[in-house]
Amino acid sequence: MTWFDTFRTGWEAIRSHRLRSALTMLGILIGIAAVVLTVGLGLGSQQQVGASISSLGSNLLIVSPGSSTDSGGVRGGFGSASTLTVADAQALTSDTAAPDIAAVAPVKSTSTALAAGDTTWTTSVVGTTADWLDVRTRTLAGGRFLTTADDADQAAVTVLGSETATELFGTTDAVGRTVSIGDLSFEVVGVLTAAGSDSTTNLDDQALVPMSTAANRIIGGSTRTAVSTIYLRATSEDTLSAAYQEAQALLLTRHGISDAESADFSIASQESLLATATSVSRTLTVLLTGIAALSLLVGGIGVMNIMLVSVTERTREIGLRKALGAPPAAIRRQFLVEATVLGLAGGLLGALLGIVAARVLPTLLDTTIVVSPAAVAGSIAVAVAIGIVFGVYPATRAARLAPIDALRSE
Amino acid sequence: MSATTIEPGEHAAPVIELVEVRKTYRTGSIEFEALRGVSLRIDQGEYVAVMGPSGSGKSTLMNILGCLDTRTAGSYRLAGEDVGEMDEVDLAEIRNQRIGFVFQQFNLLPSLPAWRNVELPLSYAGVPRGERRARAIAALERVGLGEKVGNRPGELSGGQQQRVAVARALVSEPALVLADEPTGNLDSTATADVLQLFDELHAQGRTVVLITHEQEVAERAARIIRVRDGLLAEVGVRS
Ligand SMILES: Nc1ncnc2c1ncn2[C@@H]1O[C@H](COP(=O)(O)OP(=O)(O)OP(=O)(O)O)[C@@H](O)[C@H]1O
Ligand SMILES: [Mg+2]
């Protein structure tokens, strides 16, 4: 029997049991679509996180108080928040000690109510310096940014995020208007361009004020000189690691710590953030893919079940074919082809469904789904393998029947 | 050789040679000996009818002759070759090339049109597709169903279905045609048609072995073998 005949026979058998074949394919189809979608979701979230971290700029370093290796212990407590100071930031701007650091933006923030006329809006008030705009690669929608002079004067001026401006002033231009923070009146000198949100914070809802103003006129108290983060920008991507070394050496010296292992601050680059975020979402992807693979396995068992029923139901046919001279190999091949065709058809349809869903779902939910060709090809290969593996057992069993036993069975 | 061996014409070559063949069926712990030592010789071109009461072992004998079942004991030579020496693949080839079967229940595949049913043995013999179709249609014409080649079994009468089965048995030009009560489900007209076909096969020089309950059917054969309780009881050779 030629392969053409074998394929035709297998195809005819599938067609003559339409409903049963359709249900079998459905099992495979759902499994494959689930794999394609979950892998796509995982890749999509990895890409999203990657994109939001890249938007920080690839030559950015982030210095945070407290160490990344030591999350409590001796130096821990809540005091860790005060290990970085405005003076540290000032020192990092030195051209001699840190020649590869182009810009420095210390940040200190507090959550406070802002009022404009009858409208109040609680947001995060961020004290920073003139370099912030450059370091965070942000732009202005209108007005000007904070200046070094503002900082020197402890000026009562603020630059608002686009959402904050809208909340307080509606659609009218906020530049030149006045907001009160506590009992101080601030002049709005600028508004930032919208930037969306990164994984943790809304970048468009904040009010920026000069660092000195935040320290002395808004927050005050004994922690006035402490900052929550210092953003550094290296002169270029190539000098990033040099800038890292310089910042680390300088801060260690200033803090009187000799061993980098016991530093009371940590420096993260975009790359290290990316690695952490990616490993988290990769774990998630692996988990989801595991679940999807399980559903694929269930589909595969469905195929095996159908093949067993099909063989049992068609025992007489097998007996007849053997009586007419079909060697065991021909019978085996016929059932193998049947199982393979079911697996392949289910696999292709499932991949198609997955791809279509990957197009439709992101518009309904707020997610990114990246269809990976490897996942599509891999899952189709798995579907065919399921067909073959689960087709082998019933086919072998069918081929072993004695012709007369098969013929006599009802 | 035992007493039940039949040796008619001296010159013809034996197609079938059974020596002391036994067949024991096992149902759970119960054993039943359906054939209890059958020795039989059938020569090239003979037309043999097998008769006997129900349960006597006729079908058991036929299945062994057709290599559809295995013997428990004894030897079987088919066209001079020892069947006991053969493996599954050899047996499949023997059934495909040397033997044509006609069953009481027709045993056609319901999903295939008549000509596709008839070409099945040829497809396992590796005959090219075009030739297969031509030979299948020629065989159907020979049994008088040239008009019905595209009908599925469900679209044919019982007699026509059995004629399709006969066409399938003769399409590969086998030397031996085995029929187990081929007319058991047919009325007298259809029976006459089918028997006419067997007569023609015999006239072409093929060996025909036919199981039947009916004396008139058996009368067509040159030789009648009677089976009783798993033994060949009585043998008649017509002149
Ligand atoms: N698969 C089997 N398992 C157990 N016993 C069997 C089996 N097949 C046949 N037999 C027994 O063997 C004996 C002979 O059966 P066989 O089918 O050869 O009879 P038969 O002569 O063809 O009868 P009929 O004319 O009714 O078809 C019967 O007693 C039957 O019960
Ligand atoms: Mg019988």
Side-chain angles (χ1 to χ4, degrees), chain A residues 408, chain B residues 25-27 32 34 52-60 181 213:
Chain A
R408 258 197 297 243
Chain B
Y25 289 116
R26 244 177 191 292
T27 315
F32 179 81
S54 185
S56 54
K58 305 184 294 295
S59 295
T60 304
E181 304 195 41
H213 273 120

Side-chain angles (χ1 to χ4, degrees), chain A residues 48-298:
Chain A
Q48 227 169 10
V49 169
S52 72
I53 290 174
S54 306
S55 73
L56 296 175
S58 57
N59 43 7
L60 184 78
L61 289 173
I62 301 164
V63 188
S64 314
S67 78
S68 55
T69 50
D70 179 289
S71 59
V74 189
R75 223 177 324 97
F78 48 81
S80 61
S82 62
T83 56
L84 289 177
T85 63
V86 178
D88 286 334
Q90 188 58 45
L92 288 167
T93 59
S94 155
D95 278 346
T96 46
D100 293 306
I101 295 174
V104 179
V107 157
K108 176 186 188 70
S109 64
T110 180
S111 186
T112 311
L114 272 60
D118 294 337
T119 322
T120 57
W121 178 250
T122 300
T123 186
S124 118
V125 172
V126 180
T128 188
T129 58
D131 277 350
W132 186 90
L133 199 66
D134 180 30
V135 172
R136 299 302 313 264
T137 58
R138 295 290 296 270
T139 53
L140 288 170
R144 63 165 179 89
F145 196 66
L146 308 171
T147 61
T148 328
D150 290 335
D151 200 31
D153 298 347
Q154 298 189 14
V157 291
T158 180
V159 173
L160 300 181
S162 57
E163 249 180 74
T164 320
T166 314
E167 289 297 340
L168 289 169
F169 300 107
T171 51
T172 59
D173 189 5
V175 178
R177 309 280 288 269
T178 305
V179 288
S180 27
I181 303 173
D183 42 18
L184 283 176
S185 281
F186 283 74
E187 187 198 348
V188 179
V189 293
V191 175
L192 296 167
T193 321
S197 54
D198 65 16
S199 44
T200 50
T201 48
N202 182 346
L203 298 172
D204 294 327
D205 186 15
Q206 54 188 344
L208 304 169
V209 298
M211 178 55 92
S212 56
T213 314
N216 301 315
R217 302 177 70 180
I218 300 176
I219 299 168
S222 59
T223 60
R224 64 180 62 196
T225 57
V227 300
S228 49
T229 309
I230 301 173
Y231 293 100
L232 306 175
R233 194 165 58 76
T235 47
S236 77
E237 248 178 271
D238 303 327
T239 55
L240 190 69
S241 63
Y244 182 102
Q245 307 285 342
E246 288 159 13
Q248 189 177 46
L250 195 107
L251 290 174
L252 284 175
T253 316
R254 285 184 55 83
H255 293 194
I257 298 164
S258 52
D259 180 13
E261 289 289 303
S262 50
D264 56 355
F265 59 89
S266 62
I267 306 176
S269 66
Q270 181 225 150
E271 229 164 299
S272 67
L273 287 179
L274 195 63
T276 317
T278 316
S279 84
V280 168
S281 67
R282 189 173 298 142
T283 313
L284 200 73
T285 309
V286 166
L287 201 77
L288 285 174
T289 309
I291 294 169
L294 264 181
S295 75
L296 197 57
L297 182 70
V298 172

Side-chain angles (χ1 to χ4, degrees), chain B residues 100-216:
Chain B
F101 292 98
V102 182
F103 304 95
Q104 182 174 356
Q105 304 86 348
F106 317 145
N107 278 331
L108 300 173
L109 295 181
S111 60
L112 300 181
W115 76 270
R116 291 279 310 278
N117 266 289
V118 173
E119 70 155 12
L120 274 177
L122 299 181
S123 76
Y124 289 116
V127 176
R129 237 174 325 138
E131 184 187 337
R132 242 153 54 195
R133 191 186 153 89
R135 279 172 68 178
I137 289 171
L140 281 166
E141 276 163 358
R142 241 170 94 187
V143 300
L145 287 175
E147 309 279 281
K148 307 277 186 187
V149 293
N151 288 38
R152 284 163 208 273
E155 299 157 356
L156 294 169
S157 75
Q160 288 169 337
Q161 287 183 54
Q162 193 61 303
R163 273 159 40 202
V164 172
V166 174
R168 184 180 62 192
L170 60 81
V171 74
S172 53
E173 309 278 338
L176 175 62
V177 176
L178 298 176
D180 191 348
E181 304 195 41
T183 59
N185 284 338
L186 304 181
D187 71 2
S188 53
T189 330
T191 297
D193 287 346
V194 169
L195 291 178
Q196 174 65 34
L197 290 169
F198 283 118
D199 285 350
E200 287 172 19
L201 287 174
H202 176 230
Q204 287 169 359
R206 293 180 210 292
T207 313
V208 178
V209 180
L210 178 108
I211 296 182
T212 183
H213 273 120
E214 294 155 90
Q215 188 64 36
E216 320 98 89

Side-chain angles (χ1 to χ4, degrees), chain A residues 1 4-5 8 12 316-317 320-328 330 334 400-404 407-408, chain B residues 25 63 67-69 88-89 92 95-96 101 103 105 107 109 112 116 119-121 123-124 129 132 168:
Chain A
M1 203 167 198
F4 176 86
D5 290 316
R8 186 169 62 170
E12 280 166 354
R316 278 180 74 94
E317 175 189 332
L320 176 70
R321 287 179 182 275
K322 291 194 80 171
L324 298 179
Q334 180 188 331
R400 257 196 237 122
L401 291 172
I404 192 61
L407 264 177
R408 258 197 297 243
Chain B
Y25 289 116
N63 294 335
C67 303
L68 297 176
D69 209 350
E88 271 270 17
V89 178
R95 290 192 291 263
N96 186 243
F101 292 98
F103 304 95
Q105 304 86 348
N107 278 331
L109 295 181
L112 300 181
R116 291 279 310 278
E119 70 155 12
L120 274 177
S123 76
Y124 289 116
R129 237 174 325 138
R132 242 153 54 195
R168 184 180 62 192

